[in-house]
Amino acid sequence: FFFQAEDGIRDTSVTGVQTCALPILADGLRNLRNKQLVDNVDSYNAIRYASLTTEQQQELATYRQALLNVPQQTGWPTTITWPTKPSWM
């Protein structure tokens, strides 16, 4: 049995029921990712950001981009490697 979900995920190793659940799982994981962005990254206002060292600003930018790239990982949404927050956060 082969099924293609609405978001284009193709996986011949899962049943139609499991495959139908993948978009729901993906939505939940995107919401989790978005919460991490809001709580940990986007909450830095200009004053707080300016107080960071250049290295910390780069680490913050790298972490933010890694969070944004989570849905593009191979294996999304069933296999995810969450980026590690900088230690100073």
Side-chain angles (χ1 to χ4, degrees), residues 29-63:
L29 292 169
R30 278 189 192 90
N31 289 337
L32 178 61
R33 187 262 333 249
N34 292 344
K35 182 169 175 24
Q36 290 181 20
L37 282 166
V38 169
D39 292 348
N40 298 316
V41 180
D42 295 341
S43 61
Y44 274 84
N45 60 37
I47 295 170
R48 286 179 67 195
Y49 185 80
S51 71
L52 299 176
T53 66
T54 303
E55 182 179 334
Q56 288 173 323
Q57 290 175 354
Q58 183 57 50
E59 289 174 350
L60 184 64
T62 300
Y63 176 61

Side-chain angles (χ1 to χ4, degrees), residues 1-3 10-20 22 78:
F1 178 82
F2 179 80
F3 185 85
R10 294 175 185 255
D11 191 339
T12 57
S13 66
V14 297
T15 67
V17 172
Q18 290 170 317
T19 305
C20 290
L22 290 177
T78 58

Side-chain angles (χ1 to χ4, degrees), residues 8-9 11 21 27 30 32 36 39 45 58-59 64 69-70 72 75 77 82-83 88-89:
I9 297 170
D11 191 339
D27 286 345
R30 278 189 192 90
L32 178 61
Q36 290 181 20
D39 292 348
N45 60 37
Q58 183 57 50
E59 289 174 350
R64 184 177 193 282
N69 291 343
V70 165
Q72 284 72 48
W82 290 102
W88 51 267
M89 289 183 80

